[in-house]
Amino acid sequence: MQSIKDRVAIVGMGCSKFGERWDAGLNDLAIEAVYEAYQDAGVGPKDIQACYLGTVSAPLTGIAGTVASEALKLRDIPVIRNENWCASGHIAMIEAFMAVASGIYDVVLALGVEKLKDTGFPGLGTGRGMHPVIEARRTSPGSFALLATRYFHTYGIDPQKGKEIIGKIAIKNHHNGALSPKAHFHNEITLENVMKAPIVAWPLGLYDCCGNSDGAAAAIITRTDIAKRFRSDPIYIKGFGVAMDSMIPHFRPEFGWTSFDAMVKSSRKAYEQAGISNPREEIDIAEVHDCFSITELAIYEDLGFSPRGRASEDIESGFFTLEGGLPVNTDGGLKCFGHPMGASGIRMTYEIYKQLQQKVDNPKRQVKNPRRGLSHTFGGPPQLSAVAILGNEKG
Amino acid sequence: MIGITSYGAYIPTFRLSRDMIAKAWGRGSLGGERAVANNDEDSTTMAVGAVFDCLQGQNRRDIQGLFFASTTAPYSEKQISPIVAKTVDLGNEILTYDFANGLRAGTSALRAAIDTVGNGSATNILSVAADCRLAYPQSDAEQAFGDGAAALMVGNSKVIASFEGHYALANEMMDVWRKTEDTFVQTWEGRWVLGEGYSKLITKAISGLLNKKGIDPKSVSWLALPAPNLRSHRQIAQSLGFDMKTQAVDPLLANIGDCGAAHPLMILVSALERAKSGDTILLASYGDGAEAFLFKVTDEIVQMKKRRGIEGYLNTGIPLATYEKYLSYRNLLESKPGEPFRLLPSATSYWRDQNSILSFHGSKCRNCGTVGFPIQRVCYTCLAKDDFDEIRLSDKLGQVFTYSIDNLAGRSDDPVVVQTMVETEEDKARVYCMMTDCRPEEIRVGMPVEFTFRKIYEGAGFHNYFWKCRPLRRGGK
């Protein structure tokens, strides 16, 4: 197996405004993101040789790759749709990396787009995935609350204290989101807000849950050896990893519910490709899948940012804030930027890309001289993880 | 010797105070409380509960039939007995018959089981009755009715109560009925119903049996007499010469309610719970006629394995919070549905996966011993393919491994869904399911739970049944 390191580069990216986009349909969101990416890369529709599309739910099935061919008029080229729940866009982008690395295509578009706010329901709905009868009647917050309950139990944390710990993750992400013009939410919150918020799925309250939003993000991907034809500061792909667990690990004997194998395995594969041995030290910035505050805590440990069982110490010390040793979710994360599933992985990569180029749209959240950044998505009820590592220089 | 070889009962967890019903309507209360089926229960699921109770200490392979009785079967065209038989994990070379359309359906099923064993067609037959009848809101019957089930195994060996005699009368009168399209039980004037119907017929049936057997009421140890109310119960028992204190079994009206076709069998179970070797039990039943049975308790009664029975289930109730919840649980108040399920049920997949969905089988790997649920063709642990034995998880106990209390997933009358990860004690199998019949604030990691068969929802035009967990109900002896 070969590493992807430095074989592929991103030369243009775009991201729509995220939020309750009553004004925009799936196609409008795609156009908003893709035309920004075209402009950023200095290309047009006729330059795109293949499109990798990630979208999950709108409409549920049966649209194939027609978002690209209808809205963007990308006809007569392959449009390959990827559906992997919340990692759909991220994995579509990784497929685009591989298509370029194979040498078959020179310029490829990766697009993630999701229109959630046409369903008539808040949230992602009830009962998806496994079996119409065996499936418990559940929502996403209810699924991830299973993790919080078991984590608090395993490490002997009183649930109220546990809620305070994960509440600090939400406070951090709201702070960052307030500095992020394209984010869904821009309000700072306090610990009191967190603790007094209505419970959505015990022990998770309103501020433990990410935004349910519409949005799109896109990337123009090419080979490293021709990247500088497009721009002087391309961003290079250092590694990636994708791992899938059982359909729902809930039924898997001995599954611990404090950690997810898929997150551990996907990140280790990406670190191996990137030549990273100590992610806590060697990653300068990360955008991770904070669908719920407790998920971000588990990610700190599973991705090797914090020692096992000790993420709370790093949360308390501010290690993951904009000023900390490893800023995480500098644009507000899923919590505040919003989580249109198919778009999220590419939106995270957009933030890393802009941070590495020192071109973030609000200098107040620009991290100082980052060299290597990581984007991470986690999908399903939960079992599927994708990681991509990017750098602003070769080697 | 032919007779009863095992018994079991089921009473739903929720109990509605009759004072609460009375208060809602500004009318008098009958006092006490009534059992109310949860919104995920019906006559099928309650029957399954009673049969599991009855199967304690029994060998499923010895059972050659299951007879189901109810006036509230969830299907008017489709048998319930095969659903119950598959769910409690009987074999398929068995008789499955449904008895319906009258309040004597439960005792009819019992009599049919006795005759089937008696004529040599089978050695063991399970008969089970469950009912969940609806009375008009604000009526006396709304307070008087209850929901419940009872099961009796009839066989020709290890008999705990031998069948000694039977007497039946047919009677045609429009006293109590429900037309096919009726939601609520209809009755003619009460004095006529009680006087010319119930009292006259049940008296004739009991005295007819006593005469036929040539025995005196004083020699009967226990009178299991269902009645529409406590006054009628006392009048009939006393007029026939039974002593209320020493002979009459409590008719279960004060704290459960009249459970329709299941009711006579529930009182019989209650009688068996207190009977000693040598006791005689007289069981009566009324509905479009009347009948009476005589049983004699044997030495085998002391061999009965622990079960919940009426006594155990009676003592493990949870008060239902409001009368409105009762109305919506019975679909009398339409509740706003929860979000639609994103997955459509399919009769074919339901049929294909019935060993997991109904019988609640997991797969135990012959190579490494890992138990997977639903049945896994490739082992979770060692990846052995198609090398497993199916094992039944429905009667295994478990503990809460983790849980969440989801405020968004339910429907408007019951918005909270408790998602639970259960780990079974014995095989460490993991089952992800909903918790029912619980007080959410009492749930903890490590809490002991048991599995219970429930209606999950109605999709694709049929009832979708599966298993949930519930806090372990500790009653029984």
Side-chain angles (χ1 to χ4, degrees), chain B residues 142-220:
Chain B
E142 181 186 40
Q143 294 188 31
F145 284 4
D147 304 328
L152 292 153
M153 181 103 90
V154 174
N156 58 13
S157 66
K158 294 189 179 170
V159 169
I160 60 165
S162 62
F163 174 65
E164 300 293 333
H166 182 257
Y167 182 75
L169 290 164
N171 181 47
E172 173 50 30
M173 64 192 286
M174 291 304 296
D175 58 345
V176 179
W177 70 93
R178 241 182 304 144
K179 295 194 302 298
T180 311
E181 62 271 26
D182 288 341
T183 301
F184 302 109
V185 173
Q186 313 287 319
T187 61
W188 201 259
E189 187 192 331
R191 288 187 55 78
W192 178 70
V193 170
L194 273 180
E196 292 301 310
Y198 172 78
S199 300
K200 199 167 268 184
L201 266 290
I202 206 135
T203 301
K204 276 186 188 170
I206 293 170
S207 51
L209 177 61
L210 292 171
N211 288 338
K212 186 175 166 184
K213 297 299 293 181
I215 54 172
D216 183 83
K218 296 290 173 213
S219 70
V220 172

Side-chain angles (χ1 to χ4, degrees), chain A residues 55-278:
Chain A
T55 190
V56 183
S57 67
L60 264 176
T61 54
I63 63 163
T66 54
V67 179
S69 60
E70 285 297 313
L72 304 169
K73 309 296 182 291
L74 291 177
R75 289 194 291 264
D76 309 323
I77 61 164
V79 178
I80 295 146
R81 181 181 170 190
N82 176 62
E83 191 273 294
N84 266 307
W85 285 316
C86 302
S88 296
H90 213 198
I91 294 176
M93 183 179 73
I94 288 168
E95 288 177 318
F97 296 161
M98 290 188 284
V100 168
S102 75
I104 303 290
Y105 305 114
D106 296 332
V107 182
V108 167
L109 170 70
L111 167 63
V113 56
E114 206 74 51
K115 178 68 198 175
L116 291 178
K117 305 304 295 188
D118 277 353
T119 62
F121 293 106
L124 298 182
T126 304
R128 307 170 313 280
M130 189 186 157
H131 191 288
V133 177
I134 293 177
E135 177 70 271
R137 201 175 167 88
R138 65 181 170 81
T139 62
S140 299
S143 295
F144 281 87
L146 297 169
L147 164 62
T149 300
R150 190 66 198 182
Y151 188 94
F152 297 159
H153 175 83
T154 301
Y155 293 107
I157 301 168
D158 173 77
Q160 286 299 327
K161 177 67 185 163
K163 279 178 65 62
E164 282 183 27
I165 294 168
I166 58 177
K168 287 177 184 168
I169 294 173
I171 293 166
K172 165 185 74 76
N173 290 346
H174 267 272
H175 174 75
N176 296 351
L179 303 174
S180 194
K182 288 183 177 177
H184 184 164
F185 299 110
H186 297 108
N187 56 321
E188 297 259 10
I189 57 167
T190 64
L191 193 58
E192 194 188 355
N193 296 147
V194 171
M195 299 304 285
K196 287 189 173 168
I199 295 295
V200 175
W202 173 259
L204 303 180
L206 181 66
Y207 289 111
D208 293 303
C209 306
C210 71
N212 186 239
S213 324
D214 303 321
I220 309 290
I221 294 152
T222 189
R223 288 202 316 275
T224 293
D225 61 300
I226 56 172
K228 292 217 170 169
R229 286 188 209 161
F230 297 89
R231 64 185 310 129
S232 60
D233 54 355
I235 297 299
Y236 303 102
I237 308 308
K238 299 294 179 183
F240 70 85
V242 178
M244 186 94 192
D245 200 335
S246 322
M247 180 69 187
I248 48 180
H250 308 56
F251 290 103
R252 185 150 64 80
E254 296 180 7
F255 190 74
W257 281 99
T258 56
S259 162
F260 297 91
D261 286 353
M263 298 211 287
V264 175
K265 300 278 165 56
S266 60
S267 60
R268 294 313 177 275
K269 181 56 76 179
Y271 296 152
E272 189 187 315
Q273 288 194 2
I276 288 172
S277 54
N278 183 351

Side-chain angles (χ1 to χ4, degrees), chain B residues 279-299:
Chain B
D279 284 358
T280 49
I281 300 172
L282 194 152
L283 166 69
S285 169
Y286 175 79
D288 309 297
E291 62 193 304
F293 297 70
L294 192 67
F295 296 100
K296 191 168 170 58
V297 178
T298 75
D299 295 344

Side-chain angles (χ1 to χ4, degrees), chain B residues 84-113:
Chain B
V84 176
K86 183 68 191 171
T87 302
V88 304
D89 208 18
L90 301 186
N92 60 358
E93 286 183 318
I94 58 168
L95 303 170
T96 53
Y97 299 149
D98 282 13
F99 295 77
N101 292 356
L103 294 174
R104 279 194 295 142
T107 46
S108 304
L110 176 62
R111 170 73 212 220

Side-chain angles (χ1 to χ4, degrees), chain A residues 125 137-139 142 146 255, chain B residues 339 402 404 406 409 421 430 432:
Chain A
R137 201 175 167 88
R138 65 181 170 81
T139 62
L146 297 169
F255 190 74
Chain B
E339 286 185 30
T402 186
S404 67
D406 194 328
M421 281 299 323
R430 291 293 181 82
Y432 171 52

